[in-house]
Amino acid sequence: MPETILRGKPLEEAKKVAVMVHGRGGNTASILGLADYLHLDDFALVAPQAPGNTWYPYSFMAPDKSNEPSFSNSLKTLDGIVEDLKAKGFDSEQVFFIGFSQGACLSLEYTAQKAQKWGGVIAFTGGLIGEQFNPSKYGGDFDGCPVFFGSSYQDMHVPLSRIEESALQFEKMGANVKKLIFPDTNHTIRQEEIDWVNENILK
């Protein structure tokens, strides 16, 4: 199991947990830095570190086999975190996922394969993973779980078409989806995204 860093409130005291998933080339420090901007004071923060700073080696839309076994192992990492949290008494509504770029893709993929009423899913530039979009992989009911997608209209790594397909899939599975798509080409997290997430999911 990859190294996992704990920050924020101790798990024994927290009523909410944010699983924070870094992007390709990032690390736990880079994703935990978002806590300076997001309303996470009441959260325990759990940040896993990807081996070699990448959750899978190629694009999230590369041929599926090319990203194995890293992709499957990365899903197992998130599942291990969730199972550990459940063993500590947290239910799914107390667990939030926050990811950027590759970490957003992985968070979306995991929560769609394990759809239930999570506390929230926050995807800063991400979409569901696979060479072809394959809705048959996903099952369950989000039961109104808030899900956020934020990106530029022409991101260099994540096509808008995949974001829109992913958002529609989440809606079909009962999520309360919000998309904010910006008229730039920057691979970043914008203040408008931070503000919306703080006011509507992390309030």
Side-chain angles (χ1 to χ4, degrees):
M1 181 71 71
E3 179 187 16
T4 298
I5 303 298
L6 303 179
R7 292 285 188 271
K9 277 203 165 187
L11 286 169
E12 298 77 20
E13 300 175 15
K15 291 186 168 57
K16 296 182 286 188
V17 181
V19 181
M20 304 185 72
V21 191
H22 68 76
R24 183 191 301 274
N27 54 33
T28 56
S30 61
I31 195 69
L32 285 167
L34 275 178
D36 293 338
Y37 305 94
L38 296 173
H39 291 172
L40 295 171
D41 290 348
D42 292 333
F43 285 71
L45 309 179
V46 181
Q49 173 63 53
N53 294 17
T54 185
W55 296 108
Y56 42 86
Y58 299 105
S59 163
F60 81 114
M61 295 175 65
D64 296 347
K65 288 183 179 179
S66 67
N67 278 321
E68 293 295 354
S70 298
F71 171 56
S72 292
N73 289 338
S74 294
L75 289 176
K76 289 176 184 175
T77 293
L78 294 189
D79 198 48
I81 290 170
V82 169
E83 291 304 311
D84 184 60
L85 291 173
K86 287 183 176 179
K88 288 178 167 63
F90 292 95
D91 62 37
S92 63
E93 293 183 58
Q94 295 173 286
V95 179
F96 295 67
F97 287 84
I98 302 172
F100 171 63
S101 191
Q102 193 185 57
C105 295
L106 188 65
S107 297
L108 290 168
E109 185 70 21
Y110 176 76
T111 54
Q113 289 192 23
K114 304 271 188 175
Q116 52 200 288
K117 193 169 187 179
W118 303 104
V121 182
I122 299 165
F124 295 117
T125 309
L128 291 168
I129 295 171
E131 181 178 14
Q132 302 294 328
F133 182 70
N134 180 12
S136 68
K137 290 196 293 181
Y138 311 115
D141 185 352
F142 283 108
D143 192 22
C145 165
V147 178
F148 173 81
F149 291 82
S151 186
S152 76
Y153 81 102
Q154 194 173 358
D155 184 83
M156 66 183 77
H157 300 295
V158 184
L160 181 57
S161 59
R162 179 57 63 93
I163 293 173
E164 291 176 336
E165 287 175 323
S166 302
L168 182 58
Q169 180 66 32
F170 274 74
E171 287 177 349
K172 288 178 177 178
M173 295 168 68
N176 182 10
V177 172
K178 174 68 175 181
K179 285 186 299 178
L180 288 180
I181 306 299
F182 295 87
D184 60 56
T185 59
N186 301 324
H187 190 67
T188 188
I189 301 172
R190 300 155 191 81
Q191 187 62 48
E192 295 95 329
E193 297 175 71
I194 295 288
D195 292 343
W196 192 93
V197 165
N198 280 337
E199 291 166 13
N200 295 277
I201 299 181
L202 303 177
K203 54 191 176 181

